[in-house]
Amino acid sequence: MIDVTAQPYQALLLFHGGAVSGLLYLLVRLVRDGAKRRIRTHLCDAFFVLCLAVILSGYLFAANCGTVRAFLLIAFSLGFASVYALFSPLFTRISQKIRKK
């Protein structure tokens, strides 16, 4: 049986998880963009994918005991996209200043 009253809480929790993942992606992108060697970029990508899997599974377990539901994945994606859209220009300016030095 599905508890409908808990769905807003679950959606907000997964939205928060997506926001955390989006912020992590922007931080990893700063390190990745400064990498000169190909192995370092691959390590940054692998680190992000591993962290994304841990964050998503942790938030899914906390929200709904691990049951994957479509609205939860949509909320996670919306959280990721909103943080990326809001903070990407800021991180782009920071990375450009780092490259100029």
Side-chain angles (χ1 to χ4, degrees), residues 25-38 40-46 48 99:
Y25 173 73
L26 290 172
L27 291 172
V28 169
R29 195 178 80 177
L30 277 178
V31 174
R32 185 179 187 264
D33 288 345
K36 303 273 189 217
R37 298 187 179 187
R38 185 178 293 262
R40 189 170 172 189
T41 60
H42 291 312
L43 287 174
C44 287
D45 290 341
F48 174 70
R99 282 188 219 149

Short mmCIF file of all heavy atoms in Angstrom, two decimals, residues 25-38 40-46 48 99:
data_model
loop_
_atom_site.label_atom_id
_atom_site.label_comp_id
_atom_site.label_asym_id
_atom_site.label_seq_id
_atom_site.Cartn_x
_atom_site.Cartn_y
_atom_site.Cartn_z
N TYR A 25 28.57 18.25 -8.40
CA TYR A 25 29.01 18.26 -9.79
C TYR A 25 29.77 19.54 -10.13
O TYR A 25 30.80 19.50 -10.80
CB TYR A 25 27.81 18.10 -10.73
CG TYR A 25 28.18 18.26 -12.18
CD1 TYR A 25 28.89 17.26 -12.83
CD2 TYR A 25 27.87 19.41 -12.88
CE1 TYR A 25 29.26 17.40 -14.15
CE2 TYR A 25 28.24 19.56 -14.20
CZ TYR A 25 28.93 18.55 -14.84
OH TYR A 25 29.30 18.70 -16.14
N LEU A 26 29.27 20.67 -9.67
CA LEU A 26 29.95 21.93 -9.96
C LEU A 26 31.32 22.00 -9.30
O LEU A 26 32.28 22.53 -9.87
CB LEU A 26 29.08 23.11 -9.53
CG LEU A 26 27.82 23.32 -10.38
CD1 LEU A 26 26.93 24.37 -9.74
CD2 LEU A 26 28.18 23.70 -11.79
N LEU A 27 31.43 21.46 -8.08
CA LEU A 27 32.74 21.45 -7.41
C LEU A 27 33.72 20.51 -8.11
O LEU A 27 34.89 20.84 -8.27
CB LEU A 27 32.56 21.05 -5.94
CG LEU A 27 31.85 22.07 -5.06
CD1 LEU A 27 31.57 21.48 -3.69
CD2 LEU A 27 32.67 23.33 -4.95
N VAL A 28 33.23 19.35 -8.53
CA VAL A 28 34.09 18.40 -9.23
C VAL A 28 34.49 18.98 -10.59
O VAL A 28 35.61 18.78 -11.06
CB VAL A 28 33.41 17.02 -9.37
CG1 VAL A 28 34.15 16.12 -10.33
CG2 VAL A 28 33.29 16.36 -8.02
N ARG A 29 33.59 19.73 -11.21
CA ARG A 29 33.89 20.33 -12.51
C ARG A 29 35.02 21.36 -12.40
O ARG A 29 35.83 21.49 -13.32
CB ARG A 29 32.65 20.99 -13.09
CG ARG A 29 32.79 21.29 -14.57
CD ARG A 29 31.55 21.88 -15.12
NE ARG A 29 31.54 23.30 -14.76
CZ ARG A 29 30.62 24.15 -15.13
NH1 ARG A 29 29.60 23.73 -15.83
NH2 ARG A 29 30.68 25.41 -14.80
N LEU A 30 35.08 22.06 -11.27
CA LEU A 30 36.20 23.00 -11.06
C LEU A 30 37.54 22.27 -11.07
O LEU A 30 38.49 22.71 -11.70
CB LEU A 30 36.04 23.73 -9.73
CG LEU A 30 35.15 24.94 -9.69
CD1 LEU A 30 35.08 25.49 -8.28
CD2 LEU A 30 35.62 26.00 -10.64
N VAL A 31 37.59 21.14 -10.40
CA VAL A 31 38.83 20.36 -10.35
C VAL A 31 39.11 19.74 -11.72
O VAL A 31 40.25 19.73 -12.19
CB VAL A 31 38.73 19.27 -9.27
CG1 VAL A 31 39.94 18.35 -9.29
CG2 VAL A 31 38.56 19.90 -7.90
N ARG A 32 38.06 19.25 -12.35
CA ARG A 32 38.21 18.58 -13.65
C ARG A 32 38.66 19.54 -14.73
O ARG A 32 39.49 19.19 -15.57
CB ARG A 32 36.88 17.95 -14.05
CG ARG A 32 36.94 17.13 -15.30
CD ARG A 32 35.56 16.54 -15.58
NE ARG A 32 35.61 15.63 -16.67
CZ ARG A 32 35.31 15.96 -17.93
NH1 ARG A 32 34.95 17.19 -18.20
NH2 ARG A 32 35.39 15.07 -18.88
N ASP A 33 38.16 20.76 -14.74
CA ASP A 33 38.54 21.73 -15.75
C ASP A 33 40.00 22.17 -15.60
O ASP A 33 40.64 22.53 -16.58
CB ASP A 33 37.64 22.96 -15.70
CG ASP A 33 36.25 22.67 -16.23
OD1 ASP A 33 36.06 21.62 -16.87
OD2 ASP A 33 35.34 23.50 -15.99
N GLY A 34 40.50 22.14 -14.39
CA GLY A 34 41.89 22.51 -14.17
C GLY A 34 42.87 21.37 -14.44
O GLY A 34 44.08 21.57 -14.38
N ALA A 35 42.35 20.20 -14.75
CA ALA A 35 43.22 19.04 -14.95
C ALA A 35 43.90 19.11 -16.32
O ALA A 35 43.26 19.39 -17.32
CB ALA A 35 42.41 17.75 -14.84
N LYS A 36 45.18 18.87 -16.32
CA LYS A 36 45.94 18.86 -17.57
C LYS A 36 46.00 17.46 -18.17
O LYS A 36 46.10 17.30 -19.37
CB LYS A 36 47.36 19.35 -17.32
CG LYS A 36 47.44 20.72 -16.69
CD LYS A 36 47.41 21.76 -17.75
CE LYS A 36 47.71 23.10 -17.11
NZ LYS A 36 47.00 24.18 -17.63
N ARG A 37 45.93 16.46 -17.35
CA ARG A 37 46.11 15.09 -17.83
C ARG A 37 44.76 14.39 -17.94
O ARG A 37 43.84 14.64 -17.18
CB ARG A 37 47.01 14.32 -16.88
CG ARG A 37 48.37 14.95 -16.83
CD ARG A 37 49.31 14.14 -16.04
NE ARG A 37 50.60 14.82 -16.07
CZ ARG A 37 51.68 14.31 -15.59
NH1 ARG A 37 51.65 13.14 -15.02
NH2 ARG A 37 52.80 14.97 -15.65
N ARG A 38 44.69 13.51 -18.89
CA ARG A 38 43.46 12.78 -19.16
C ARG A 38 43.09 11.85 -18.01
O ARG A 38 41.91 11.70 -17.70
CB ARG A 38 43.62 11.97 -20.44
CG ARG A 38 42.37 11.28 -20.88
CD ARG A 38 42.56 10.55 -22.17
NE ARG A 38 42.79 11.45 -23.28
CZ ARG A 38 41.84 11.83 -24.12
NH1 ARG A 38 40.62 11.41 -23.95
NH2 ARG A 38 42.12 12.63 -25.11
N ARG A 40 43.45 12.33 -14.87
CA ARG A 40 42.82 13.10 -13.79
C ARG A 40 41.36 13.40 -14.12
O ARG A 40 40.50 13.38 -13.24
CB ARG A 40 43.60 14.38 -13.55
CG ARG A 40 43.16 15.13 -12.34
CD ARG A 40 44.12 16.24 -12.04
NE ARG A 40 43.60 17.08 -10.97
CZ ARG A 40 44.13 18.20 -10.60
NH1 ARG A 40 45.23 18.63 -11.20
NH2 ARG A 40 43.61 18.90 -9.64
N THR A 41 41.06 13.69 -15.37
CA THR A 41 39.66 13.94 -15.75
C THR A 41 38.83 12.68 -15.61
O THR A 41 37.69 12.74 -15.16
CB THR A 41 39.56 14.48 -17.19
OG1 THR A 41 40.10 13.53 -18.09
CG2 THR A 41 40.27 15.80 -17.33
N HIS A 42 39.40 11.54 -15.97
CA HIS A 42 38.67 10.28 -15.81
C HIS A 42 38.44 9.94 -14.34
O HIS A 42 37.38 9.42 -13.97
CB HIS A 42 39.41 9.13 -16.50
CG HIS A 42 39.40 9.21 -17.99
ND1 HIS A 42 38.26 9.45 -18.72
CD2 HIS A 42 40.40 9.09 -18.89
CE1 HIS A 42 38.55 9.48 -20.00
NE2 HIS A 42 39.85 9.27 -20.13
N LEU A 43 39.42 10.24 -13.50
CA LEU A 43 39.25 10.00 -12.07
C LEU A 43 38.18 10.91 -11.48
O LEU A 43 37.39 10.48 -10.62
CB LEU A 43 40.58 10.19 -11.33
CG LEU A 43 41.62 9.10 -11.53
CD1 LEU A 43 42.93 9.49 -10.86
CD2 LEU A 43 41.12 7.78 -10.99
N CYS A 44 38.13 12.16 -11.93
CA CYS A 44 37.09 13.09 -11.46
C CYS A 44 35.71 12.61 -11.89
O CYS A 44 34.76 12.66 -11.11
CB CYS A 44 37.35 14.50 -11.98
SG CYS A 44 38.72 15.33 -11.19
N ASP A 45 35.59 12.13 -13.12
CA ASP A 45 34.31 11.61 -13.60
C ASP A 45 33.89 10.38 -12.82
O ASP A 45 32.72 10.23 -12.44
CB ASP A 45 34.39 11.28 -15.09
CG ASP A 45 34.49 12.52 -15.96
OD1 ASP A 45 34.15 13.62 -15.47
OD2 ASP A 45 34.91 12.38 -17.12
N ALA A 46 34.83 9.48 -12.57
CA ALA A 46 34.52 8.26 -11.81
C ALA A 46 34.13 8.61 -10.38
O ALA A 46 33.18 8.01 -9.83
CB ALA A 46 35.72 7.32 -11.82
N PHE A 48 32.69 11.39 -9.37
CA PHE A 48 31.35 11.98 -9.39
C PHE A 48 30.28 10.91 -9.57
O PHE A 48 29.25 10.94 -8.89
CB PHE A 48 31.22 13.04 -10.48
CG PHE A 48 29.81 13.54 -10.61
CD1 PHE A 48 29.27 14.32 -9.61
CD2 PHE A 48 29.03 13.19 -11.69
CE1 PHE A 48 27.95 14.77 -9.70
CE2 PHE A 48 27.73 13.64 -11.79
CZ PHE A 48 27.19 14.42 -10.80
N ARG A 99 41.97 29.96 -14.10
CA ARG A 99 42.79 29.70 -15.28
C ARG A 99 43.65 30.89 -15.66
O ARG A 99 44.72 30.72 -16.22
CB ARG A 99 41.89 29.35 -16.46
CG ARG A 99 41.38 27.95 -16.41
CD ARG A 99 40.68 27.59 -17.68
NE ARG A 99 39.53 26.78 -17.33
CZ ARG A 99 38.40 26.75 -17.98
NH1 ARG A 99 38.23 27.46 -19.05
NH2 ARG A 99 37.42 25.98 -17.58
#
